[in-house]
Amino acid sequence: MDPMMNMNYSKIIDKGNEPSRLFIGGVHGKEGITTIKALSQLDEDSVSNGKLGIYNFDETPYLSTLHKDYYNSDMGKNVLSLIKEHKPVVYLEAHCYKEKSYEKLVDEDRKSRVGVPPLIELEEGVLIGSVAPFLRLNCFKRQDICITLEIPCYPSKKALGVYVNILKAVASSKTREDLEATIGTRYPQQVETARRYAIEFFGDYPPF
């Protein structure tokens, strides 16, 4: 996709009121150039029941979602507004990362370094983890699903395929148990690691 093209994208898939799901891409920097390639592949067949709101945004100044001022920024306020509007029980942030950032994202010392557990690789450089603690602890209930999904900003065809498949797995899940069963079939070790990280970070909080 041409970086100069409009990355703004929104779609609502409505197959009933519950559960409500919200997927957001392009939350900072130029990530929307990559994330729209995956989010735009979600269609009516991706959701069996409930609602899914999909949003992707144009370039904004890069500020980490872990930064204390992010949710005071225009984009951060936009994210909070969408969460308030949709009241999702399934929330996913679609991100991309530069290759040089990979080691920092999966580093076992990431918690001590930036305050959150490392991301977990599923395959083909696709990484999964929890959203920013501020969101997880202040905007969602204990049983809700809250996921960060990362892909290289210049993904291979295989990586994009994996990314889209995970998006569809989350979009079709109604509960955390549904999602763990679906992803756990293919990635059992990664799901177990996610549980461990979640317990270490949140205590008795759920994984992802």
Side-chain angles (χ1 to χ4, degrees):
M1 177 173 291
D2 186 340
M4 299 303 293
M5 290 180 66
N6 183 7
M7 294 175 280
N8 272 332
Y9 174 86
S10 64
K11 182 181 182 70
I12 303 294
I13 300 173
D14 188 349
K15 293 189 175 180
N17 290 328
E18 296 181 358
S20 176
R21 308 172 182 90
L22 175 63
F23 289 8
I24 302 180
V27 299
H28 48 194
K30 299 179 179 180
E31 291 185 349
I33 296 173
T34 301
T35 55
I36 194 172
K37 296 175 184 178
L39 291 172
S40 61
Q41 293 191 47
L42 296 171
D43 56 24
E44 296 290 327
D45 292 336
S46 303
V47 178
S48 58
N49 60 3
K51 288 184 178 180
L52 171 59
I54 306 167
Y55 297 86
N56 196 80
F57 293 96
D58 279 330
E59 180 180 355
T60 56
Y62 185 90
L63 181 63
S64 171
T65 56
L66 299 177
H67 195 285
K68 61 183 177 64
D69 292 330
Y70 177 80
Y71 295 101
N72 291 321
S73 71
D74 289 342
M75 190 62 230
K77 290 177 181 177
N78 201 2
V79 170
L80 293 176
S81 177
L82 286 171
I83 292 172
K84 184 176 181 180
E85 176 186 348
H86 287 269
K87 298 179 175 61
V89 297
V90 178
Y91 175 71
L92 184 144
E93 279 185 6
H95 291 262
C96 78
Y97 65 91
K98 295 178 180 178
E99 297 285 355
K100 65 181 181 181
S101 299
Y102 174 85
E103 294 299 335
K104 289 183 178 180
L105 293 173
V106 300
D107 183 6
E108 289 286 342
D109 293 328
R110 189 172 184 241
K111 183 180 176 183
S112 60
R113 185 165 46 81
V114 296
V116 292
L119 297 176
I120 302 162
E121 180 167 1
L122 298 176
E123 59 179 314
E124 299 295 333
V126 175
L127 312 177
I128 195 168
S130 182
V131 298
F134 174 85
L135 283 187
R136 187 67 184 93
L137 296 171
N138 292 285
C139 299
F140 294 95
K141 296 177 181 178
R142 173 180 172 138
Q143 68 270 22
D144 294 340
I145 298 170
C146 300
I147 289 176
T148 288
L149 195 64
E150 296 257 9
I151 190 174
C153 290
Y154 300 97
S156 67
K157 185 176 180 180
K158 284 186 177 181
L160 188 60
V162 171
Y163 199 73
V164 171
N165 285 340
I166 298 300
L167 288 175
K168 290 181 176 180
V170 179
S172 64
S173 297
K174 292 184 287 186
T175 65
R176 192 174 74 252
E177 290 74 19
D178 285 344
L179 181 61
E180 286 188 13
T182 301
I183 296 182
T185 299
R186 186 174 180 95
Y187 309 107
Q189 183 177 348
Q190 289 91 329
V191 168
E192 185 55 40
T193 300
R195 287 196 188 101
R196 176 166 57 84
Y197 285 165
I199 291 171
E200 290 173 359
F201 188 79
F202 293 112
D204 197 26
Y205 252 71
F208 296 119

